Amino acid sequence: MLSHHDRQELEKIERWFELTEPALAARLRSGRPARPPLLRLALLLSLDITAGLLMLLGVILNSPALLLTGMITVTTAVIVHLSRFGRD
């Protein structure tokens, strides 16, 4: 349980957020995460599909170069997915 002082401090922080960053306060109040921009979603999807196709072609054609390129693309896709690329 929070003390009276802690509740007052949290209310001050809440008022400060509402005054300085109304969009952020509204987003936090709604409790829903922001949807990713369409361009970012398209880029991530195309990177995932490309990585999968390169790996599949590398295995089917028994091509070490395609397989290596696919593995590098998969690694890049994982890094992009885990980073904050294109986010607000």
Side-chain angles (χ1 to χ4, degrees):
M1 211 58 209
L2 295 176
S3 68
H4 180 70
H5 176 71
D6 290 341
R7 281 194 303 269
Q8 284 180 335
E9 290 300 314
L10 285 175
E11 288 172 3
K12 285 180 189 177
I13 293 170
E14 183 180 350
R15 283 192 302 272
W16 178 79
F17 265 119
E18 288 173 353
L19 291 174
T20 60
E21 296 288 336
L24 175 62
R27 190 179 300 169
L28 290 173
R29 199 176 307 110
S30 71
R32 290 176 292 158
R35 296 186 68 180
L38 191 56
L39 180 62
R40 178 181 183 270
L41 187 62
L43 178 67
L44 290 177
L45 187 59
S46 65
L47 187 62
D48 293 340
I49 291 171
T50 302
L53 287 176
L54 285 172
M55 293 279 291
L56 184 64
L57 282 174
V59 170
I60 290 173
L61 298 176
N62 199 17
S63 170
L66 275 177
L67 191 58
L68 179 63
T69 305
M71 291 169 64
I72 291 170
T73 309
V74 166
T75 304
T76 304
V78 168
I79 290 170
V80 170
H81 277 284
L82 295 177
S83 72
R84 294 186 51 85
F85 174 75
R87 294 185 187 167
D88 292 343

